[in-house]
Amino acid sequence: MLTLSPARPGRGRTWQLTDASVTLGRAAGATVSFADTASPVVSDRHARITFRDGWYELTDAGSTNGTLVNGRAVVAPHALREGDVVQLGRDTGPELVVGFVYDRDRWQRAGGGATWDRATPMALIGMATALVVFLGVAVLVAG
């Protein structure tokens, strides 16, 4: 699950997002809505976050004042990482910190072991790399 929290504590709410595609903007129908703010730099349909190929991607939806991640303009789909700061509009636009919440129960039911923590994805990548190297050596020896 993706979370978006205000970069400055006490300045807004935290959203927990489970949909594969969400919208950010001033429109009342936006998933992450800033309709209750008077922020003139946020467009009605400012940005979109889509879960695709195992990543959450942020795209600017043609907003007037742009979308930034960590101070850099989003000009193409941007893969979000934990701790990224998304800003809607320049200068005075709202800033949101990206976070992720992992469903430990789902992980365990899928046979993922006893725990899931931030080290688990890196451990899986390490094991996959070792397997590829092992298979490559086996093919060279057998060939």
Side-chain angles (χ1 to χ4, degrees), residues 82 102 107 115-129:
E82 188 152 4
Y102 300 101
W107 172 253
T115 62
W116 172 281
D117 59 25
R118 290 185 181 172
T120 302
M122 293 310 295
L124 291 174
I125 291 169
M127 287 187 290
T129 303

Side-chain angles (χ1 to χ4, degrees), residues 47-121:
R48 178 174 297 107
I49 297 174
T50 307
F51 186 75
R52 180 174 304 141
D53 298 328
W55 296 95
Y56 285 97
E57 289 183 342
L58 174 74
T59 54
D60 183 85
S63 67
T64 303
N65 294 298
T67 303
L68 294 92
V69 175
N70 302 326
R72 302 184 101 161
V74 174
V75 295
H78 178 88
L80 293 171
R81 292 182 169 77
E82 188 152 4
D84 279 349
V85 177
V86 174
Q87 183 174 1
L88 303 181
R90 301 188 187 279
D91 303 323
T92 61
E95 294 177 313
L96 303 166
V97 178
V98 174
F100 298 101
V101 176
Y102 300 101
D103 184 343
R104 292 174 190 225
D105 292 336
R106 177 195 267 169
W107 172 253
Q108 289 172 350
R109 284 193 306 271
T115 62
W116 172 281
D117 59 25
R118 290 185 181 172
T120 302

Side-chain angles (χ1 to χ4, degrees), residues 23-27 29-30 42-48 60-64:
T23 55
L24 295 82
R26 214 171 48 208
V42 178
S43 297
D44 285 346
R45 286 172 183 74
H46 199 100
R48 178 174 297 107
D60 183 85
S63 67
T64 303

